[in-house]
Amino acid sequence: GNIFDLFTENYVELKTDENGRTNILAFGTSGYNMAGDEGNGTHDGAQLTDSIMAISLDQKTGDVAMLSLPRDLKASPTCTATGKINEVYWCNNMEGDNEQAGAEALMTEVGNIFDIDFQYYAHLNWGSLESIIDTLGGIDIILDEDIYDYYYTGAIYEAGVEYSINGI
């Protein structure tokens, strides 16, 4: 088997580039939905893509390569003076009503930087992450280091102790 067997019984071959690889741009935003809502309001940086990953897979061999991009990587001129890669999605989807335009602009920019043609994208936001964790029935974690978050949440977690967490 290969990685695709995890996702489907009836495997349908994905689109590929000229090298026979399927390239997916995965990126994350912090908003709870595609409009950038965060709890009781919106956050002005909720549409920035602070997590960006290029994933390339070979469907015949099951080989997968992944590259995480730094959010401060310089990009072509963006809509702000900083010109960072994490702004490209937001610059093309400022109102939060055209996810595809933002995603395609980000795929083009990353593709130009690394000379890769992307066939697909995966956009995860905070609400998506919560749903994934809840769908899995929660996840169990054991920390390597203590977490003492007195300022924001008041949470205290000790290293070496198993914690079960849900998406909320």
Side-chain angles (χ1 to χ4, degrees):
N2 62 47
I3 191 167
F4 304 106
D5 294 339
L6 296 172
F7 302 108
T8 179
E9 286 183 19
N10 301 317
Y11 174 66
V12 175
E13 199 162 306
L14 300 172
K15 296 176 191 174
T16 60
D17 65 9
E18 65 276 0
N19 299 312
R21 298 189 70 86
T22 299
N23 301 308
I24 304 163
L25 186 69
F27 60 93
T29 54
S30 66
Y32 282 92
N33 57 34
M34 297 308 166
D37 293 334
E38 287 192 345
N40 295 327
T42 58
H43 177 274
D44 61 356
Q47 295 290 36
L48 297 177
T49 54
D50 288 346
S51 299
I52 307 170
M53 184 168 286
I55 305 166
S56 181
L57 32 110
D58 185 321
Q59 297 175 69
K60 293 184 180 17
T61 66
D63 172 58
V64 178
M66 296 188 296
L67 175 68
S68 179
L69 283 71
R71 70 182 185 178
D72 292 339
L73 181 71
K74 291 298 181 183
S76 294
T78 63
C79 62
T80 72
T82 62
K84 296 177 182 180
I85 192 80
N86 74 333
E87 299 169 337
V88 172
Y89 174 81
W90 173 72
C91 288
N92 292 275
N93 184 30
M94 284 190 178
E95 302 301 318
D97 59 356
N98 197 344
E99 176 191 19
Q100 185 172 350
E104 287 176 358
L106 187 58
M107 288 193 309
T108 298
E109 184 62 27
V110 174
N112 289 340
I113 291 170
F114 293 104
D115 195 24
I116 298 172
D117 291 322
F118 287 95
Q119 291 74 44
Y120 302 98
Y121 69 88
H123 177 190
L124 295 175
N125 59 17
W126 195 254
S128 301
L129 179 61
E130 288 179 349
S131 295
I132 290 168
I133 292 171
D134 286 342
T135 299
L136 293 173
I139 57 176
D140 297 329
I141 61 169
I142 299 175
L143 301 173
D144 294 331
E145 297 179 21
D146 294 339
I147 294 177
Y148 299 107
D149 186 10
Y150 297 113
Y151 184 72
Y152 288 107
T153 65
I156 299 173
Y157 296 99
E158 296 178 7
V161 176
E162 183 173 307
Y163 295 95
S164 295
I165 59 174
N166 59 25
I168 297 175

